[in-house]
């Protein structure tokens, strides 16, 4: 049956901000510690400009002793601030790496519960890229927030407070500048977010197609399909280039807008400040204080848009990944599902109807396979031979009817217990990039060495394996 997305009802959030907090919540005490340290460091860092005012005012008043102590106090304060930022880096390492690790565990754990159809309809490389988009987004958003956006907002508040002590008009021009920059960048962020989603999607498709080619490189060479495959990759790289170019140019446009706003606002601030200084309304120390604060915060003001754009881009990439991972599992165990108990091994299909992609594959199918009976399924490609096995493994749910093993409806037993009792030899060999021993024991990880050798013997592979330099520990 065609897989259709329904309204998501799972416990794991499927939106970027909520998912980020879900992954971070177990480490919330690291989060609060990081917030405290960054707050103190950012406030002290921006407030350190006040030393310049004190030094200049003391120098004009001829108070040399104060000049000395203020001059000593400034580097000591800077050293303390830098120490706090290094402490915040250590705390941030614990918090962010733990959060990313938790997200990296949550994502494949949930995605592995999707149906066979989910994986059949997607390139493995594309799925992997979506996983990476989410974890990479978290790894970019959190540092950007703590050490750029949050510290920038604190610097704005400190600067505004100190400017109020100098001149009300200057302070309100600055406040207007900050509010305007935040407003503009919030308005511009959604477009950046959408462009980033498109860029992430083009990257996922390219990764999926590349992984598909590498996985089937022998077939591409054997059937002289390399030119076609490489041509398809060139088309996808061109689409990624176009998508990347659009998001890049949009970022440059935002920076240009921020630069223009910053120029006009700072021009107004300095005109008012110099005029007030000429009239004696502000001291030389006040003038130096504002100049120092503006110089210190100008980088943040200029690149606040870049910070918002970076976060918006990461949010867009996370959305692109999360929406394709977190939706309700198509095939789930019943709340009271029991484990399959196989006594004889009788398989029965009663009035089974199944459709896939709106095409009816089986309609009112009845089939009984007695214990020990060998049955061959014969038919042309697409007749449903592999599908019948997939239904027995419950890789799809049937539309109606019942499939049972020893009288137990397979829809009412756990999927793991069902599949643990069915041995499957696929049409194509499936090997993990691990040792021969790990591959042989995959269905029974705790198998003994004796059991391992016995299986190799039955597969007529024992002699071949044991002749290898590393034997069963050979990597394949």
């Amino acid at each position: 049956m065609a897989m259709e997305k329904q309204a998501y009802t799972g416990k794991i959030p499927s939106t970027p901000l909520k998912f980020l907090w879900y992954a971070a919540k177990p480490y919330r005490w690291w989060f609060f510690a990081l917030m405290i340290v960054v707050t103190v460091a950012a406030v002290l860092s921006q407030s350190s400009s006040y030393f310049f005012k004190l030094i200049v005012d003391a120098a004009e008043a001829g108070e040399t002793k104060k000049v000395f102590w203020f001059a000593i106090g400034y580097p000591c304060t800077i050293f303390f601030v830098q120490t706090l930022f290094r402490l915040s880096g250590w705390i941030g390492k614990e918090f962010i790496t733990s959060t990313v690790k938790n997200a990296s565990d949550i994502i494949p754990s949930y995605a592995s519960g999707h149906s066979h159809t989910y994986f059949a309809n997607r390139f493995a490389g594309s799925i992997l890229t979506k996983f990476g988009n989410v974890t990479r987004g978290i790894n970019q958003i959190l540092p950007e927030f703590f050490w750029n956006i949050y510290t920038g907002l604190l610097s704005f508040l400190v600067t505004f407070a100190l400017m109020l002590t100098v001149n009300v008009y200057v302070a309100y021009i600055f406040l207007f500048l900050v509010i305007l920059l935040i407003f503009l960048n919030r308005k511009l962020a959604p477009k950046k977010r959408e462009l980033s989603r498109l860029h992430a999607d083009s990257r996922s498709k390219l990764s999926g197609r590349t992984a598909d080619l590498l996985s089937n490189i022998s077939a591409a060479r054997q059937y002289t399909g390399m030119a076609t495959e490489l041509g398809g990759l060139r088309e996808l790289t061109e689409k990624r280039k176009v998508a990347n170019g659009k998001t890049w140019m949009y970022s440059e446009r935002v920076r240009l807008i921020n630069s223009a706003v910053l120029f006009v606002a700072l021009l107004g601030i300095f005109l008012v400040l110099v005029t007030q200084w000429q009239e004696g309304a502000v001291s030389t120390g006040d003038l130096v204080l504002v100049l120092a604060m503006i110089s210190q915060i100008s980088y943040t003001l200029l690149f606040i848009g870049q910070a918002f754009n970076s976060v918006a881009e990461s949010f867009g990439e996370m959305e692109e990944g999360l929406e394709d991972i977190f939706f309700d599992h198509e095939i789930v165990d019943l709340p009271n599902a029991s484990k399959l108990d196989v006594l004889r091994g009788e398989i029965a299909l009663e009035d089974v109807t199944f459709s896939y992609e709106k095409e009816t594959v089986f309609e009112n199918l009845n089939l009984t396979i007695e214990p020990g009976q060998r049955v061959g399924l014969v038919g042309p490609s697409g007749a449903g031979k592999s599908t019948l096995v997939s239904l027995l493994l419950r890789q799809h749910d049937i539309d109606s009817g019942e499939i049972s093993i020893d009288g137990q409806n397979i829809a009412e037993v756990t999927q793991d217990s069902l599949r643990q009792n069915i041995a499957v030899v696929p049409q194509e060999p499936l090997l993990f990039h691990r040792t021969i021993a790990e591959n042989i024991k995959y269905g029974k990880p705790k198998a003994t060495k004796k059991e391992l050798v016995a299986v190799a013997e039955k597969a007529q592979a024992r002699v071949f394996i044991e002749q290898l330099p590393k034997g069963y520990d050979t990597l394949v």
Side-chain angles (χ1 to χ4, degrees), residues 67-109:
V67 170
F68 174 79
W69 286 112
F70 289 147
I72 294 296
Y74 178 72
C76 291
T77 301
I78 294 300
F79 177 76
F80 180 64
V81 167
Q82 291 303 311
T83 301
L84 286 176
F85 274 122
R86 300 292 68 76
L87 176 61
S88 75
W90 177 78
I91 297 173
K93 184 266 295 184
E94 293 294 326
F95 172 63
I96 295 173
T97 57
S98 296
T99 299
V100 172
K101 194 267 183 190
N102 193 29
S104 300
D105 292 339
I106 292 169
I107 293 169
S109 176

Side-chain angles (χ1 to χ4, degrees), residues 255-276:
R255 293 189 190 105
L256 181 62
I257 293 172
N258 287 335
S259 298
V261 172
L262 182 63
F263 168 74
V264 173
L266 293 185
L267 184 63
I269 287 174
F270 289 128
L271 284 175
V272 171
L273 194 61
V274 171
T275 301
Q276 293 288 301

Side-chain angles (χ1 to χ4, degrees), residues 115-305:
S115 69
H116 177 75
T117 304
Y118 174 86
F119 295 98
N121 289 346
R122 292 164 174 80
F123 289 123
S126 179
I127 296 174
L128 184 61
T129 299
K130 292 177 189 296
F131 287 7
N133 285 345
V134 178
T135 55
R136 185 170 53 250
I138 293 174
N139 216 14
Q140 292 172 345
I141 288 171
L142 290 177
E144 195 74 56
F145 169 74
F146 283 111
W147 291 289
N148 284 326
I149 295 176
Y150 182 59
T151 55
L153 293 175
L154 290 173
S155 297
F156 295 156
L157 291 174
V158 171
T159 301
F160 176 68
L162 291 176
M163 281 185 175
L164 279 175
T165 67
V166 174
N167 185 275
V168 174
Y169 297 111
V170 168
Y172 281 117
I173 293 175
F174 176 77
L175 179 62
F176 175 76
L177 166 64
V178 172
I179 293 174
L180 181 59
L181 285 174
I182 293 175
F183 173 77
L184 285 174
N185 284 281
R186 278 180 61 87
K187 293 290 288 184
L188 295 169
K191 177 66 174 178
K192 173 69 175 182
R193 194 166 165 177
E194 179 59 27
L195 291 173
S196 298
R197 281 170 56 89
L198 295 174
H199 182 215
D201 182 61
S202 67
R203 190 168 59 233
S204 295
K205 289 178 179 177
L206 175 61
S207 297
R209 183 65 176 266
T210 304
D212 191 45
L213 170 60
L214 295 177
S215 300
N216 298 281
I217 192 73
S218 297
R221 288 173 174 170
Q222 179 67 33
Y223 296 99
T224 62
M226 287 300 298
T228 301
E229 293 294 332
L230 293 176
L233 288 181
R234 281 191 290 270
E235 289 180 7
L236 290 175
T237 55
E238 178 63 25
K239 290 180 180 179
R240 185 186 64 174
K241 174 190 171 184
V242 172
N244 191 21
K246 288 181 178 179
T247 187
W248 188 308
M249 287 307 299
Y250 190 78
S251 296
E252 292 300 325
R253 195 178 309 149
V254 171
R255 293 189 190 105
L256 181 62
I257 293 172
N258 287 335
S259 298
V261 172
L262 182 63
F263 168 74
V264 173
L266 293 185
L267 184 63
I269 287 174
F270 289 128
L271 284 175
V272 171
L273 194 61
V274 171
T275 301
Q276 293 288 301
W277 175 72
Q278 289 174 335
E279 295 174 355
V282 299
S283 68
T284 304
D286 291 331
L287 179 62
V288 171
L289 170 63
V290 175
L291 290 172
M293 287 191 298
I294 291 297
S295 176
Q296 192 172 353
I297 205 173
S298 59
Y299 179 87
T300 304
L301 286 167
L302 184 59
F303 286 92
I304 188 67

Side-chain angles (χ1 to χ4, degrees), residues 14 33 38 75 91 228 244 292 298 336 383 414-415 463:
S14 60
V38 169
I91 297 173
T228 301
N244 191 21
S298 59
N336 59 344
T414 63
Q415 296 175 66
V463 175

